[in-house]
C-alpha cells in the first residue's frame, strides 16, 4: 500500500499535468479525462481519511500558483483610470 506522501505526490503530478494541458489548450476530451483522474484521486484521499479537505485545497492552490503564477496581483491607480 502506498503512503500518504506518495499519494499526495502523485496527485500533485496529475494536477500539474492537468494545469499545463489546460494552459496549452489541450482538447476538451483529454482535459475531461485528466480532470476525472484528479477528482477521483482526491475523492479517494478524502474517503480513506488520508487527506483533509484543507490539505487538498492548499495543494491545488500551490500547484495553480506554480503553473499560472499568483492568483492576484496589485493594480496600480493609473491602470484604474479609463
Amino acid at each position: 500500500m502506498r503512503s500518504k506522501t506518495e499519494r499526495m505526490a502523485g496527485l500533485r503530478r496529475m494536477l500539474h499535468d492537468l494545469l499545463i494541458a489546460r494552459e496549452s489548450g489541450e482538447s476538451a476530451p483529454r482535459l475531461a479525462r485528466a480532470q476525472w483522474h484528479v477528482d477521483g484521486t482526491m475523492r479517494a484521499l478524502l474517503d480513506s481519511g488520508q487527506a483533509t479537505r484543507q490539505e487538498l485545497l492548499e495543494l491545488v492552490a500551490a500547484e495553480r500558483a506554480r503553473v499560472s503564477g499568483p492568483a492576484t496581483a496589485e493594480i496600480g491607480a493609473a491602470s484604474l483610470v479609463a
Side-chain angles (χ1 to χ4, degrees):
M1 182 176 241
R2 293 171 43 188
S3 70
K4 176 182 176 178
T5 305
E6 292 170 330
R7 288 183 189 269
M8 293 295 273
L11 175 59
R12 182 175 282 117
R13 280 190 303 275
M14 285 190 290
L15 188 56
H16 179 82
D17 293 344
L18 170 65
L19 294 170
I20 292 294
R22 186 174 291 157
E23 293 270 328
S24 66
E26 191 61 63
S27 68
R30 287 183 183 255
L31 287 175
R33 192 174 312 115
Q35 183 69 53
W36 180 78
H37 284 289
V38 168
D39 288 348
T41 301
M42 291 173 84
R43 171 55 58 199
L45 286 166
L46 283 171
D47 289 349
S48 68
Q50 288 187 323
T52 65
R53 182 179 223 113
Q54 187 62 36
E55 287 174 313
L56 295 177
L57 289 172
E58 289 171 5
L59 183 132
V60 170
E63 209 49 49
R64 277 190 179 153
R66 201 172 106 186
V67 172
S68 303
T72 60
E74 286 189 43
I75 299 175
S79 64
L80 296 176
V81 178

